Amino acid sequence: MTSAAVGPSIDLFRDRFVRITREVGRRIVGHEEVVNLTVTSLLAGGHVLLEGIPGVGKTSLVHTLADVLHLTFSRIQFTPDLMPADIVGTNIVQEHSHGGTFFEFQPGPIFANVVLADEINRATPKTQSALLEAMQDVSVSVGKTTYQLEQPFLVLATQNPLEMEGTYPLPEAQLDRFFFKLKVTYPSEESMHEILERTTTDSTTPVTRVVDKPEILEMRQVARSIPIARPVQAYAIRLTLGSHPTSPYATPLVKRYVRYGASPRAAQALVLAGKIQALNRGQAFVSIDDIRRVALPALRHRLLLNFEGEADEVNTDTIVTELLGSVATE
Amino acid sequence: MSETDTPPGPAGQLVRTGLAAAFRQRRIRESSRHFWKAAPILAALGLGLAAISLWAGWAAIPALGVLGVGFAGLMAYTLVRRRARTVTDAVAAGIDRDADLGGELRSAAWFAAHDTHDAWTDFHLDRAAVRLDAVNWLERYPAVRAPRAKLATSVMVIAALGLSMTMTDRGRLSSSPLKANAAADAAPLVPGQPLSPELQKQLADLLLAAELAGASTDARLTASAELRDLLAQLGELRDSEALKELARSMSANPILSDQMSKEMQALAERTRRASETAAMPPELRNALEKLSDNLSIAAAKEMDDSNDPVAAANAQSGETAKSKADAPSSASIQSIQDADAGAGAGMIMMSDENATPGGDPGLGAGGGSAAANGGGTMPDIAKALRQETVEASADSPGENVTTDTRHDTEHGSATITYTQSAPGAFDRSRAAAPPPVPEGRRSAVQTYFIRKP
C-alpha cells in the first residue's frame, strides 16, 4: 500500500462504520455509544459483555447487528444445567449405510459468526469455561480434535446485574477475555416514545445488510495498520499499570480498593480500540483522546476489587475515572 | 505495506520545521509574557528602594543597582528562554493543544523525529504538514501587548531614576559645599572663615520651620530635607581642626567676633531646641544636636579668645584646653536632672584637679585622697570633666510629711513624730535639656552616667 491509497482506505473504513451504526440505529433506539463500541469490538476482534436490566434491548441489539453485518447468528440461553457440549458440540454415533458405526462431530451453537450468550452468568463455571478457548483462540476442542471457528467471530454475552441469586459470577480469566464491558442503560423518555412507536404499531423496521464478511475482515486489517506514536502508546500503558495498587501511577482509590489490576490485554484493547476510534474520526493517527474515550469499557471489568472494595460496593467506573484524571498525558 | 528505516521524507522535514517555528514563536510569547509580568514588580522595587534611600539619606547606588541588575537579569532570562531548544513530546503536545490539532501534531512530531516510517506514517506526516502549514502561528502566539505593564514599568523606572538623580545631586552637593544651594553659593562655608550671616539666617529659618511644622507632615518632611542639606554642608564643623580655624579667624576680628559669638551662641541654643523636637527624624535630631555642640564650642572659644589673647595664642599651639582648666568660670558644669528619681535623691559632684592634698578635695572620682584628683578609677573622665555637677531635679522634692504616733507608756502616753519627704510630682514642662556637652567629651559622659546592669 502506498501513502496515496491510505486516504481512500480510511474514507472507506469510516463510511462502512457509519453505515453499520446508522443501520443498527434504525432498529435500536438510543444506545449510540453501545452500538459504536460493539462495532469497534467486532472490528478489533474482541468480544463484548453487555450488562443491563432486562428489557433494555440487549438481545435486540445483537440480533440487529448480525442482520446488518450479514453474518451467521446463534443464540445460547445460559441456564444452570447447560453443559459445555451444548455449546461447542459433541460427537454423536452415526451408522454407515453399509453397516457399522462411527463418531461424527455435531457442531454446537458456538459455530457462528455472532454468538449471543444470553444471561451468561446463569451457567455453571464449567460451562462458562467452554467459551474460553473459543473466545481466545477462535477454536474449540472436542475430544482430540480442534475445530477452527469462522472469522469474524464475535461473542456478545449479556448478564443481569440485579438477579444475583442462582448465578455464577464470571471468573476473572473469562472476564479478561471480553474486549469491552458495556452497560446498557435505561432509555430516556424521548427514546421510550420512539421504542413504543416502532414496536407497538403494525409497521416493522426492516434493516439491510450493509457490509459482508470480507469487508469486515478488510476493515479489521485497516484498523491494525494505523500507526500509533510511542507517547500515546505509553499513555495506554500507564493507564493499565495505574490500575495496579503497587504501581507508581496508582491512584488512592486503586490503592485502597483494587486487589488486582488490568492485564496486558487491557492495554491491547486500549490501543486497538483507539485505532478504530481514530479511523472512525477519519484520522490516520491515534490520539490521547482516542485512548481515553475507550478506557472505561476496556478497564472497568478488568479491575478485581479487594474485600474492602466489595464491602463498600465500590463501582469500578469511579476508579477508572479517577485513573483517567490522574495519569499524566505527557 | 513496506516499512523502511530511511530518514523522514519531506513531510517529516516540514513537520519538524513547522514545529520548530511554532515553538520559537511560543517561546517568544512566553518569555515576553514573563518579562512584562516581572518588569513592573522590578520597577516598583527599584522605585521603592529609591524612595527609601531618599528618605533615609542613602546613596543612589542601591536603587540604581537593583534596577540595573534586575533588568539585566530579566533580559538574560528572556534571551535564555528564547534560545533554540529541542522540541520534546511535551512541547509538541502543548503546541498541538494550543493549535487545537487534536493530537495530530504531537503524533506527527514523534514520527518525524524517528526513522521508522511507512505508507501510513507518510500519509500521517503529509496531512500533519499541511495542517501545520495552515496554522498562523503569529495569530496563535501573538506578541504580548501588556500596555498597562509597559506604562507602569516606564513610569516607575523614570520615577526611580529621577529620585536617584536627586540623590546623586545631593551627594554631589554635600561633597562640594560651594554648590550646596543659592545661599551657600553666596556665602560658601570655608574652614577658617566665620559662619556667614546668610548661612546663619538660613539655618535659623529652617530651624524655625522645623519647630513650627510639627502639625504638618509635608511641611515637616520639607523642612527636614532642607535641614539635611544644610547639615551636610555644615558637616565639616564637626571637625575639631575646622573649629579651631573658625575660632582663630573670629578672634582676629574683635568687632565681628563679639557679635558673631553672640549670634552663634543664640543659634546654638535654637539648634539645641530644635534637636529636642519630637517630630523630627532621629538622625536629624542627632545631627542638630552635634551642630549645636559645635556652635556652642565655637562661640565659647571665640569668647574666651577675645577675653584672653594668650589663650588665643595657645589655641594655635593646641594648649587651649589646659589653660582654660585653671579658670573655674570656664569649667563645664553638667546638670543632670533625674525626673524619675525618688524624692530627695540628689547628688552634686564637683572636682578640681588642681586641689591641694590638704585643701578641699571636692567631690568626684578620686577625691579626698592624697593623690591628685584624676588619679582615681576613672581618671580619664575626671580629666575630661573638670567640674561636673549633678543636681537633683527641682521637680523631685515633695512636701515634708509629719506623722505622729501615739502609744501608752508606763507614765502615760508618748508621741513619736516621723518626718519624711513625700514623693514629688514630676512636672514635665519644667524639664529642660542639660547644657551641651562638648563633642569630645560626650562619649565619656554617656559612659559615665549609664547605669550598668
Side-chain angles (χ1 to χ4, degrees), chain A residues 228 231-241 266-267 270-271 288 291:
Chain A
I228 180 170
V232 181
Q233 187 168 293
Y235 178 69
I237 293 171
R238 285 198 298 273
L239 271 184
T240 307
L241 293 177
L270 287 172
V271 170
I288 294 287
I291 301 292

Side-chain angles (χ1 to χ4, degrees), chain A residues 258-316:
Chain A
V258 176
R259 185 164 55 151
Y260 294 118
S263 70
R265 282 197 186 98
Q268 293 171 352
L270 287 172
V271 170
L272 269 175
K275 288 183 173 184
I276 293 167
Q277 291 294 314
L279 285 168
N280 198 21
R281 289 189 297 114
Q283 301 294 344
F285 65 94
V286 184
S287 69
I288 294 287
D289 287 340
D290 293 326
I291 301 292
R292 292 172 62 87
R293 201 170 293 127
V294 297
L296 209 55
L299 293 176
R300 61 161 62 114
H301 58 291
R302 291 185 163 99
L303 302 184
L304 184 61
L305 299 180
N306 56 19
F307 175 78
E308 192 176 0
E310 297 285 354
D312 290 349
E313 297 181 344
V314 175
N315 192 339
T316 53

Side-chain angles (χ1 to χ4, degrees), chain B residues 112-137:
Chain B
H114 292 76
D115 293 340
T116 304
H117 63 102
D118 53 27
W120 281 85
T121 308
D122 290 343
F123 176 80
H124 172 35
L125 290 174
D126 285 338
R127 288 182 62 165
V130 170
R131 289 190 70 185
L132 196 59
D133 191 49
V135 177
N136 186 348
W137 295 109

Side-chain angles (χ1 to χ4, degrees), chain B residues 173-174 177 180 184 187-190 194-196 199-200 202-204 206-207 226-239 242-243 246 264 267 271 287-288 290-292 294-295:
Chain B
L173 288 173
S174 66
L189 184 68
V190 179
L195 202 61
S196 69
L199 207 53
Q200 288 188 41
Q202 188 189 5
L203 180 58
L206 289 172
L207 288 172
E226 291 176 356
L227 265 176
R228 279 196 193 94
D229 288 344
L230 191 57
L231 288 173
Q233 300 173 54
L234 296 173
E236 65 186 59
L237 283 180
R238 301 172 192 176
D239 184 5
L243 282 172
L246 186 63
M264 287 183 69
L267 190 59
T271 309
L288 283 172
K290 289 176 181 176
L291 177 62
S292 170
N294 292 338
L295 289 173

Side-chain angles (χ1 to χ4, degrees), chain B residues 216-294:
Chain B
S216 168
T217 305
D218 294 339
R220 190 173 68 236
L221 287 175
T222 307
S224 298
E226 291 176 356
L227 265 176
R228 279 196 193 94
D229 288 344
L230 191 57
L231 288 173
Q233 300 173 54
L234 296 173
E236 65 186 59
L237 283 180
R238 301 172 192 176
D239 184 5
S240 59
E241 290 302 319
L243 282 172
K244 289 175 183 174
E245 288 295 320
L246 186 63
R248 276 200 304 274
S249 64
M250 293 176 74
S251 64
N253 188 345
I255 300 171
L256 182 63
S257 173
D258 184 48
Q259 181 185 355
M260 288 297 292
S261 66
K262 291 178 180 175
E263 289 177 354
M264 287 183 69
Q265 191 63 47
L267 190 59
E269 181 62 23
R270 295 197 62 183
T271 309
R272 183 186 58 76
R273 285 201 303 270
S275 70
E276 295 165 359
T277 305
M280 281 197 180
E283 83 284 354
L284 196 55
R285 281 194 295 182
N286 288 337
L288 283 172
E289 206 173 315
K290 289 176 181 176
L291 177 62
S292 170
D293 295 344
N294 292 338

